[in-house]
Amino acid sequence: MQGQSFVRSIATRATQHTLNTGAKIPALGFGTFQDPESQEDTVSLALQNGMRLIDTARVYNVEQQVGRGIKKSGLPREDVFLCTKLWCSDYHPEDVERAVDDSLRDLDTPYVDLLLMHYPCTFARGSERFPRDADGRMIHGETTFVDTWKAMEKLTKTGKARAIGVSNFSKGEIETLLRECTTPPAVHQMEVHPYLQQKQFNEWLRSKGIHVVQFSPLGNMNDFYRQTGWAKDIANMMRVIDQPLLKKIGQKYGKTPVQIVLAWGINNGRSVIPKSVVDWQMEENLAADFELAEEDMKAIETLDAKARFNDPSMDYEWRLYSDLYGIEGTVRGRTH
């Protein structure tokens, strides 16, 4: 029984990190990519069970369901840290506030705690999310991510977005924002997991006061990376959570490999946003905020394979992650 109570006690942490705005962001959150028909109930359940960070995006087409889920949970709005993302076809400065208003309407909230630019590339303005020419190539917009960022900076003064950040940017692209704009990103949301650790980039971001939120914190567990049109061969490598090392470490703590991977991200000072629509998986994720010994953190570092699974560069006609590792083997194919 002693062992069981120890496991339960170390699982009760509710770690928060402080953004450069002074706001607190939970270290453990809930991603809402895919499964639109399930999101209302799962968001509500996640919040009732203790999650406080909900991550979504305009392009996921789930904002209405997420908004209903928050309401259904019964939690006061101020108890929820809500993040959404501006999509690439809404990057023209004149479109930014209208696009955010659309998200706020669907989320049924007067503000979001964090608004991110989803990618650095700009698509042509209009209602078409993935505008393509006659050859099926993506049509770029005429604005730049710097123009978009400046419009987002203005938006923070309205109270509609309490903090702003980016997602899927390279180091050079973030340096451009720091050089040409006045508000540094509060957050960079990017792919991080034991197979793609990006240690130097993470350290650089921390040195600039930019908090990292890990998407795909479980790596290639999601079938999306094997099924999308630009799926890389490496997506078929052994799933991160099947690594014997993680199973061995998990036995030491009475935890699953999933919980070890999430705890690794949290212990590195980042936030993690796993997605799940299965009750027991959600409960498993909620019990993943606990302290890992330094020796186990070091052991997990040996799993770094520089394996980047999310790379729609050739579909988006934009060399994403240009100065980061893991861009080899990029495939041409449609996301949708």
Side-chain angles (χ1 to χ4, degrees):
M1 288 299 293
Q2 270 190 322
Q4 288 180 348
S5 67
F6 172 70
V7 168
R8 190 157 52 246
S9 69
I10 64 171
T12 55
R13 284 197 330 187
T15 302
Q16 292 189 315
H17 301 297
T18 304
L19 300 181
N20 58 22
T21 61
K24 301 285 189 182
I25 183 172
L28 184 62
F30 186 77
T32 60
F33 175 55
Q34 302 172 308
D35 306 303
E37 69 287 345
S38 304
Q39 292 302 340
E40 180 178 339
D41 288 338
T42 53
V43 165
S44 175
L45 186 61
L47 291 171
Q48 289 173 33
N49 285 346
M51 288 281 188
R52 292 296 179 265
L53 166 59
I54 303 295
D55 179 85
T56 192
R58 189 64 180 165
V59 79
Y60 297 168
N61 293 319
V62 296
E63 286 179 322
Q64 289 185 1
Q65 294 91 326
V66 169
R68 290 197 296 266
I70 293 172
K71 284 287 196 299
K72 183 181 286 189
S73 75
L75 279 180
R77 172 65 184 88
E78 58 269 21
D79 289 356
V80 181
F81 190 102
L82 178 59
C83 169
T84 195
K85 306 177 194 75
L86 190 69
W87 185 241
C88 308
S89 55
D90 285 324
Y91 280 8
H92 191 284
E94 293 178 12
D95 295 336
V96 169
E97 186 166 12
R98 186 268 312 152
V100 172
D101 286 342
D102 289 345
S103 286
L104 296 178
R105 179 197 66 228
D106 287 353
L107 289 164
D108 194 14
T109 180
Y111 69 94
V112 288
D113 298 272
L114 178 64
L115 174 69
L116 302 180
M117 210 183 312
H118 208 139
Y119 282 94
C121 42
T122 300
F123 296 165
R125 297 175 74 184
S127 58
E128 183 56 55
R129 297 260 177 84
F130 295 87
R132 300 177 186 275
D133 63 19
D135 296 320
R137 297 288 185 90
M138 204 69 72
I139 304 171
H140 282 177
E142 297 177 358
T143 193
T144 70
F145 62 80
V146 172
D147 299 327
T148 309
W149 186 256
K150 289 179 177 178
M152 290 168 66
E153 287 181 313
K154 293 177 182 175
L155 198 63
T156 61
K157 295 178 174 62
T158 69
K160 294 177 181 179
R162 295 191 169 178
I164 54 176
V166 295
S167 181
N168 295 297
F169 272 51
S170 69
K171 180 182 176 184
E173 288 161 346
I174 292 176
E175 285 177 323
T176 298
L177 289 182
L178 294 175
R179 184 176 61 249
E180 299 187 20
C181 304
T182 57
T183 308
V187 162
H188 183 207
Q189 188 177 125
M190 64 183 195
E191 182 182 352
V192 185
H193 43 73
Y195 281 170
L196 186 72
Q197 298 188 19
Q198 306 194 82
K199 192 170 182 182
Q200 286 184 318
F201 189 33
N202 271 291
E203 288 173 352
W204 180 81
L205 288 162
R206 188 176 298 115
S207 75
K208 298 298 181 183
I210 300 171
H211 180 63
V212 172
V213 174
Q214 297 180 203
F215 73 73
S216 298
L218 304 176
N220 57 342
M221 184 176 177
N222 194 330
D223 284 340
F224 171 79
Y225 290 126
R226 287 176 284 280
Q227 296 169 355
T228 186
W230 41 261
K232 293 182 176 182
D233 289 342
I234 56 168
N236 296 303
M237 66 193 290
M238 177 189 288
R239 296 188 309 170
V240 172
I241 62 169
D242 292 332
Q243 279 288 341
L245 172 65
L246 297 174
K247 293 180 181 179
K248 182 180 177 182
I249 294 173
Q251 289 169 355
K252 176 178 171 181
Y253 295 88
K255 296 288 186 179
T256 66
V258 166
Q259 291 169 320
I260 296 298
V261 170
L262 297 178
W264 170 79
I266 294 170
N267 279 260
N268 269 308
R270 301 185 287 264
S271 295
V272 296
I273 47 170
K275 64 172 288 290
S276 177
V277 295
V278 183
D279 292 2
W280 68 264
Q281 288 179 344
M282 199 182 304
E283 291 176 13
E284 182 181 43
N285 294 346
L286 278 159
D289 186 357
F290 60 94
E291 186 176 355
L292 280 174
E294 185 62 29
E295 65 195 50
D296 298 318
M297 295 289 287
K298 289 287 185 186
I300 294 171
E301 286 184 12
T302 66
L303 295 177
D304 194 3
K306 297 180 170 58
R308 184 182 297 279
F309 303 121
N310 186 79
D311 193 353
S313 294
M314 294 183 76
D315 187 25
Y316 293 1
E317 304 287 340
W318 184 281
R319 179 61 270 180
L320 298 164
Y321 324 116
S322 58
D323 52 17
L324 305 174
Y325 64 57
I327 63 173
E328 303 77 16
T330 306
V331 175
R332 181 173 293 282
R334 290 194 180 196
T335 308
H336 297 285

